[in-house]
C-alpha cells in the first residue's frame, strides 16, 4: 500500500490489517504501527480481537496485550494484618487458559532477571502471586515492577503458544499494543530487543514437519525510540534466520471523529524516524530532557536511514555534510564508540556532561543541515495529545 489511505471506522481499518496479514499473493508475517497517544490504539486492538470472534463463531483467534491486560491482576494488601500481601490473577479470563499446566516460572524468571531485582512465587491452586526481595517476603512491589512482571508473564505465555500448547492452539494472531506504556524508559530498549526476537520467531514459525505455521503479529506503539528499535530488529537480515516479511505504517486520527488514516513508511525517509528526531531533541533539552547512552544508537540509526535515502551506503555521507574535517572525525568516533556494545542497549546509563554536549552538537548540526521540519512535527504531537479522548471500549477484558 502506497501513500495515505483513509478508513471510516475501526472495523474497516481492522479489515485492512487482516488483509495485509493474509494476502494470498503477498502474505506478510507482521504489521508495525506507529501512532500518537489517544489515536485509538487500544480500541483498535480490541476490534481486531472481536473481528476474529465474529469470524469464528465466538472463538477468539487473537492473544493480545494492551491496557486491559494489566486489569487482570489485582492486589490483596492485607489491610488487617499488613503481612500477607499478594497479587491475584483473574481466573475467569481466557488469558490464563492452561496456566497451571504451562510451568511458566522458569521462563518468567528468565525475562524478569533482565529487568528487575525481585523474585516471585505463583500458587497455581489459588491464583496468587507473592513477591520477595532479598530476605524480605510478601512484599508489595511498585506499580512499575508489577507491570514488568505482567509483561514477563505475557512473554512466557507467548513462548508456550509458539511451542504449540493446546490451550492456545486456536490463537493465530498476536496483537501487542504499547508495552512501553507499562515499562519504565530504562528498560525500553532491552524489552524491544527481546520482543523483536520473539516476534521474529512467531512470524517464521514452522510445524514438526517443517510446514510454515506462522503466528501473524500486529504491534503498535506511540514511543518513537521503541518503535525504531523494533523496526531495525525486525527488518534486519540475521545470519541463519529467515527474513521476516512485514509492513510499517503511521496510524493517525486527523480529528476527534472516527476517521483513521494509514501512511505507509516502507520507503525512506521513514516518518517514525522523523518522530524519533523530535524525541531526541526533547531528550537533549538542557532544562527538561535527560540523555542516556542509548540515544547515540537512535541518532546513528536515523543517520543511516538518511544516508540511504540519498543513495549512500553509510553515515559518512551525513557526517561530511555536517562539519569540517576535524569535527567530522570527532563525530564519527563518538557515534561508533557510543552507539555500539551491549551496554548501550541493555544497561542504559545517563551520559556524562562532555558526552551530552557532544551529542547536542551532533544533533543540532544534523537537524539544521538536513532541514528536518521538526517544529511541524512537534506541533502535530501537541495537537494529537490535546485531541478529544476516545470513549473506552465496552468489550470485557476477560474474553
Amino acid at each position: 500500500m502506497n501513500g495515505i489511505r483513509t478508513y471510516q471506522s475501526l472495523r474497516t481499518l481492522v479489515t485492512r490489517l487482516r488483509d495485509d496479514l493474509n494476502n494470498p499473493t503477498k502474505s506478510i508475517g507482521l504489521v508495525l504501527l506507529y501512532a500518537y497517544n489517544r489515536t485509538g490504539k487500544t480500541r483498535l486492538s480490541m476490534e481486531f480481537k472481536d473481528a476474529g470472534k465474529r469470524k469464528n463463531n465466538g472463538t477468539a483467534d487473537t492473544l493480545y496485550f494492551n491496557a486491559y491486560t494489566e486489569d487482570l491482576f489485582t492486589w490483596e494488601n492485607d489491610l488487617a494484618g499488613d503481612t500477607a500481601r499478594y497479587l491475584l490473577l483473574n481466573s475467569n479470563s481466557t488469558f490464563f487458559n492452561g496456566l497451571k499446566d504451562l510451568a511458566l516460572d522458569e521462563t518468567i524468571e528468565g525475562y524478569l532477571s533482565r529487568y528487575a531485582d525481585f523474585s516471585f512465587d505463583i500458587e497455581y491452586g489459588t491464583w496468587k502471586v507473592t513477591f520477595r526481595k532479598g530476605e524480605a517476603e510478601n512484599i508489595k512491589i511498585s506499580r512499575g515492577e508489577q507491570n514488568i512482571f505482567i509483561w514477563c508473564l505475557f512473554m512466557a505465555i507467548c513462548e508456550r503458544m509458539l511451542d504449540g500448547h493446546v490451550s492456545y492452539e486456536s490463537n493465530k494472531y498476536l496483537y501487542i499494543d504499547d508495552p512501553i506504556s507499562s515499562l519504565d524508559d530504562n528498560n525500553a530498549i532491552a524489552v524491544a530487543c527481546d520482543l523483536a526476537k520473539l516476534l521474529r520467531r512467531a512470524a517464521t514459525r514452522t510445524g514438526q514437519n517443517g510446514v510454515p505455521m506462522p503466528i501473524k503479529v500486529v504491534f503498535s506503539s506511540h514511543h518513537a525510540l521503541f518503535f525504531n528499535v523494533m523496526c531495525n530488529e525486525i527488518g534486519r537480515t540475521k545470519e541463519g534466520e529467515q527474513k521476516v516479511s512485514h509492513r510499517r505504517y503511521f496510524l493517525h486520527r486527523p480529528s476527534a471523529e472516527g476517521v483513521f488514516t494509514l501512511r505507509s513508511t516502507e520507503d525512506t525517509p521513514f516518518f517514525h524516524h522523523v518522530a524519533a528526531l523530535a524525541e531526541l531533541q526533547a531528550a537533549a533539552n538542557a532544562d527538561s530532557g535527560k540523555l542516556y547512552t542509548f540515544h547515540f544508537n537512535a541518532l546513528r540509526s536515523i543517520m543511516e536511514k538518511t544516508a540511504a535515502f540519498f543513495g549512500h551506503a553509510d553515515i559518512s555521507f551525513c557526517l561530511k555534510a555536517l562539519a569540517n574535517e576535524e569535527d567530522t572525525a570527532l563525530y564519527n568516533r563518538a557515534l561508533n564508540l557510543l552507539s555500539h556494545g551491549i551496554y548501550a542497549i541493555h544497561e542504559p546509563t545517563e551520559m556524562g556532561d562532555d558526552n551530552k554536549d557532544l551529542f547536542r552538537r551532533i544533533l543540532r548540526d544534523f537537524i539544521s543541515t538536513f532541514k528536518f521540519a521538526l517544529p511541524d512535527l512537534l506541533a502535530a504531537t501537541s495537537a494529537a495529545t490535546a485531541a478529544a479522548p476516545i470513549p473506552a471500549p465496552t468489550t470485557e477484558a476477560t474474553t
Side-chain angles (χ1 to χ4, degrees):
M1 184 183 79
N2 297 318
I4 300 176
R5 298 289 179 87
T6 300
Y7 301 89
Q8 299 300 320
S9 67
L10 285 172
R11 183 169 291 197
T12 56
L13 178 54
V14 164
T15 300
R16 169 76 266 170
L17 297 179
R18 284 183 173 259
D19 285 349
D20 275 353
L21 294 170
N22 297 294
N23 188 325
T25 59
K26 193 177 180 181
S27 180
I28 62 172
L30 202 154
V31 171
L32 300 168
L33 297 174
Y34 177 82
Y36 298 125
N37 273 334
R38 297 189 178 183
T39 299
K41 298 188 303 299
T42 300
R43 283 207 306 157
L44 178 61
S45 67
M46 299 304 280
E47 178 58 35
F48 189 98
K49 182 262 297 183
D50 289 342
K53 294 181 72 174
R54 289 192 296 268
K55 181 179 179 181
N56 298 292
N57 298 317
T59 300
D61 65 2
T62 305
L63 178 65
Y64 65 90
F65 180 95
N66 60 22
Y68 285 108
T69 307
E70 295 168 11
D71 294 338
L72 301 176
F73 302 77
T74 55
W75 273 102
E76 169 52 58
N77 291 312
D78 186 21
L79 297 180
D82 197 28
T83 55
R85 309 174 194 89
Y86 56 85
L87 195 63
L88 186 64
L89 282 58
N90 186 339
S91 60
N92 294 321
S93 172
T94 56
F95 180 79
F96 299 116
N97 275 359
L99 186 62
K100 296 179 181 179
D101 304 322
L102 292 176
L104 294 178
D105 299 59
E106 185 175 346
T107 307
I108 297 172
E109 183 64 36
Y111 283 113
L112 188 63
S113 62
R114 305 176 196 181
Y115 318 130
D117 61 353
F118 62 88
S119 299
F120 67 94
D121 295 290
I122 302 178
E123 299 177 15
Y124 292 101
T126 58
W127 301 92
K128 297 178 182 178
V129 184
T130 55
F131 299 94
R132 48 192 163 80
K133 184 181 294 187
E135 296 182 357
E137 297 185 353
N138 296 325
I139 63 172
K140 174 71 178 286
I141 57 176
S142 70
R143 174 70 67 174
E145 290 173 325
Q146 174 187 326
N147 291 337
I148 289 173
F149 170 78
I150 294 171
W151 174 250
C152 292
L153 189 151
F154 174 76
M155 291 282 282
I157 289 177
C158 288
E159 288 207 19
R160 293 298 180 270
M161 184 183 74
L162 297 184
D163 291 339
H165 193 278
V166 64
S167 298
Y168 298 94
E169 63 182 1
S170 67
N171 295 127
K172 309 301 180 185
Y173 301 91
L174 264 176
Y175 200 119
I176 300 174
D177 172 47
D178 244 350
I180 192 64
S181 297
S182 306
L183 304 164
D184 62 84
D185 287 342
N186 286 351
N187 283 318
I189 309 302
V191 169
C193 292
D194 289 337
L195 176 59
K197 182 178 180 180
L198 182 81
L199 299 190
R200 289 178 67 91
R201 179 187 167 196
T204 58
R205 177 174 175 254
T206 59
Q208 293 182 349
N209 55 0
V211 175
M213 294 181 60
I215 298 294
K216 302 300 182 76
V217 180
V218 180
F219 166 82
S220 58
S221 179
H222 77 282
H223 194 286
L225 183 59
F226 192 92
F227 187 78
N228 185 62
V229 174
M230 289 293 296
C231 287
N232 288 340
E233 291 297 307
I234 295 296
R236 183 176 300 156
T237 301
K238 297 194 175 185
E239 185 176 354
E241 295 185 16
Q242 297 181 43
K243 184 176 181 179
V244 177
S245 59
H246 65 286
R247 287 185 180 171
R248 308 168 184 176
Y249 294 123
F250 173 59
L251 172 64
H252 186 52
R253 184 168 59 103
S255 67
E257 304 299 325
V259 176
F260 299 85
T261 63
L262 276 183
R263 175 176 179 172
S264 176
T265 62
E266 297 299 322
D267 301 320
T268 52
F270 297 109
F271 185 84
H272 60 270
H273 288 118
V274 182
L277 268 180
E279 189 165 304
L280 289 180
Q281 190 178 59
N285 187 300
D287 296 324
S288 58
K290 202 165 189 177
L291 285 170
Y292 293 93
T293 53
F294 60 70
H295 285 126
F296 273 103
N297 293 66
L299 181 55
R300 181 186 177 90
S301 176
I302 296 168
M303 285 187 171
E304 289 172 344
K305 296 299 185 293
T306 303
F309 174 70
F310 286 100
H312 295 269
D314 54 51
I315 65 170
S316 61
F317 162 75
C318 295
L319 295 176
K320 290 176 182 177
L322 298 188
N324 56 45
E325 186 174 341
E326 182 178 342
D327 282 346
T328 297
L330 174 63
Y331 291 179
N332 188 54
R333 284 197 302 271
L335 287 165
N336 281 331
L337 176 64
L338 297 172
S339 66
H340 286 84
I342 295 178
Y343 75 91
I345 295 177
H346 292 286
E347 298 180 13
T349 55
E350 190 172 357
M351 293 184 196
D353 290 340
D354 289 344
N355 284 339
K356 288 180 181 178
D357 291 340
L358 180 57
F359 181 90
R360 292 183 181 114
R361 282 177 57 192
I362 299 173
L363 180 64
R364 181 180 62 248
D365 288 352
F366 181 55
I367 291 174
S368 61
T369 299
F370 290 93
K371 296 180 171 54
F372 290 99
L374 296 189
D376 292 339
L377 177 64
L378 294 173
T381 304
S382 300
T385 302
I390 296 178
T394 57
T395 309
E396 292 294 331
T398 57
T399 58

